[in-house]
Amino acid sequence: MLEIIQNTPIWVFILFVFLVFLGLLQTKDKKLSINKILIFPAIMLLLSYLGVVSAFGFDIQSNISYLLGLGIGVYLSYFFKIPRKSTYDLKEGLFFIKGSFLPFYLIMSIFLLKYYVGVVTAKELEFIHDLSFVVLISLFYGLFSGVFLGRLLVLLKIKKGKDN
């Protein structure tokens, strides 16, 4: 374990600290414009998909698994109305989003998953090419990012006045 940490580039630790900070910001109540709300899911989708592509390439199994996970994540967010207790103020043009640890957990999950895949790739472990590994990792990348995308869709639905 110490060898893994010692061989980790310094930028990974800097990124980790930044992501912890970003995740902890999500635990506070806030008012945000639609433009600011769009940025976060877009970044998480991009980073998670790049994680899939960098680990497995553009193969059909990883892409289908990623899309399936994405769909499940969107469904779960939509079904459970995540983020809960959010509102939209038409006059201000801002969303009120109740703080939650869920985004923190999702950010950390994506980071740790990417770190894990990076370690097993660097160590050239055989199982990285197993179909079950490719499918499972891609599914998790999609699931975590799908929750972020689902949160965005829930907020857009609130804005349209269909759900409060």
Side-chain angles (χ1 to χ4, degrees):
M1 182 68 170
L2 185 59
E3 176 190 346
I4 292 170
I5 293 172
Q6 289 174 333
N7 290 321
T8 300
I10 192 74
W11 68 264
V12 175
F13 295 106
I14 294 168
L15 177 62
F16 177 75
V17 169
F18 172 74
L19 292 174
V20 167
F21 173 75
L22 185 64
L24 289 175
L25 284 177
Q26 305 302 311
T27 65
K28 307 292 182 209
D29 295 351
K30 61 192 135 311
K31 287 186 175 185
L32 297 171
S33 69
I34 187 66
N35 292 335
K36 288 187 179 179
I37 288 173
L38 289 170
I39 293 170
F40 202 66
I43 290 171
M44 290 295 110
L45 283 166
L46 177 66
L47 290 177
S48 69
Y49 188 67
L50 287 176
V52 171
V53 171
S54 67
F56 310 119
F58 289 103
D59 71 347
I60 191 77
Q61 295 92 347
S62 63
N63 281 286
I64 288 174
S65 299
Y66 178 81
L67 290 173
L68 179 62
L70 195 69
I72 293 168
V74 167
Y75 174 79
L76 289 172
S77 288
Y78 214 72
F79 182 81
F80 290 109
K81 295 184 172 124
I82 299 170
R84 293 178 178 253
K85 300 179 184 174
S86 296
T87 58
Y88 181 73
D89 186 329
L90 192 59
K91 189 166 64 172
E92 288 185 46
L94 298 174
F95 289 92
F96 170 77
I97 301 174
K98 187 99 174 115
S100 168
F101 274 95
L102 180 62
F104 174 78
Y105 297 140
L106 292 170
I107 291 167
M108 290 296 99
S109 296
I110 291 170
F111 174 84
L112 293 172
L113 187 62
K114 179 115 176 82
Y115 187 80
Y116 171 74
V117 171
V119 169
V120 298
T121 301
K123 288 187 163 280
E124 298 178 356
L125 299 176
E126 279 187 40
F127 66 83
I128 194 163
H129 301 293
D130 290 349
L131 181 60
S132 59
F133 181 78
V134 171
V135 167
L136 188 62
I137 296 298
S138 300
L139 186 75
F140 276 122
Y141 271 128
L143 176 69
F144 299 146
S145 297
V147 174
F148 281 113
L149 181 58
R151 289 177 80 230
L152 172 63
L153 296 176
V154 168
L155 291 170
L156 291 175
K157 186 176 178 185
I158 289 170
K159 184 179 181 203
K160 288 184 178 180
K162 294 180 180 176
D163 193 11
N164 287 329

